Amino acid sequence: MRIAFLMAPEGVEQVELTDPWQAVRDAGGEPVLVSTRPGRIQAFRHLDKADTFTVDEVVADVSAQSFDGIVLPGGVANPDTLRLDERAVSFVRDFFDRGRPVAAICHAPWTLVEADVVRGRVLTSWPSLRTDIRNAGGTWVDERVHVCEQGPNTLITSRKPADLKAFREALLEAFTRQTA
């Protein structure tokens, strides 16, 4: 199970990266940090700088074909930056085109909106994205985690760090099914 974790060079909410990352690793998978630039990414704890993490792959050099699924951690700045990078947006869209599972938490569905992959889908997020998701043709629900199978792939979404346990369990189930 090889799982991409896509992040901008800064702005990711650290726990939304580290918690699912550890879950993938504990399940025997290989988490891979993909970013728009090489080097290190700067994580945050809300608005305060936290740890830095080494980039494994640059989005310009990878394909969704190399992965069994993708995790999109949130943080406000992270997905807002990713949605301005066409290669990052195309990389995310490619997981949908290939029918591979996608897991997004908190503000990360902004990248999904930009990739134009939420039309006809049901998802949750941080509440401030509700209008963006609806305007993009999706249905927004207020749930700890929502698994949507109505589309070309499994889409797992969650609202916030307090929902990480449910998010982690749902994404592991989908990724395990993909690799079985």
Side-chain angles (χ1 to χ4, degrees):
M1 176 170 54
R2 189 165 192 258
I3 306 299
F5 282 72
L6 179 61
M7 281 154 284
E10 67 177 5
V12 69
E13 183 68 32
Q14 182 162 314
V15 72
E16 294 175 10
L17 160 62
T18 57
D19 185 276
W21 180 283
Q22 191 60 49
V24 167
R25 180 169 275 157
D26 290 348
E30 177 191 358
V32 179
L33 197 157
V34 179
S35 188
T36 56
R37 292 194 315 233
R40 298 184 71 78
I41 62 122
Q42 175 67 61
F44 282 75
R45 285 189 188 93
H46 194 51
L47 299 175
D48 298 320
K49 284 186 176 181
D51 298 324
T52 63
F53 298 88
T54 302
V55 173
D56 297 315
E57 304 271 353
V58 176
V59 75
D61 301 332
V62 296
S63 161
Q65 184 175 356
S66 317
F67 298 96
D68 298 303
I70 187 170
V71 174
L72 301 170
V76 177
N78 179 51
D80 195 50
T81 300
L82 288 175
R83 61 195 292 205
L84 295 175
D85 187 295
E86 184 50 42
R87 288 182 174 158
V89 172
S90 293
F91 182 59
V92 169
R93 189 179 307 113
D94 198 22
F95 281 86
F96 286 81
D97 293 343
R98 294 178 184 277
R100 304 231 165 119
V102 172
I105 186 168
C106 201
H107 288 79
W110 265 339
T111 309
L112 303 178
V113 167
E114 193 65 33
D116 194 25
V117 294
V118 302
R119 187 170 321 284
R121 304 303 292 266
V122 178
L123 58 158
T124 192
S125 67
W126 186 254
S128 65
L129 277 67
R130 175 179 48 232
T131 301
D132 297 324
I133 290 167
R134 286 180 181 155
N135 287 343
T139 299
W140 186 86
V141 294
D142 185 12
E143 298 174 5
R144 287 177 53 214
V145 67
H146 189 85
V147 179
C148 180
E149 303 279 356
Q150 302 166 307
N153 66 335
T154 302
L155 175 60
I156 304 104
T157 53
S158 197
R159 300 174 303 189
K160 57 189 173 184
D163 299 332
L164 275 165
K165 182 179 186 299
F167 182 64
R168 182 175 63 237
E169 291 169 358
L171 71 84
L172 284 177
E173 182 179 320
F175 293 157
T176 301
R177 269 196 327 258
Q178 175 69 26
T179 59

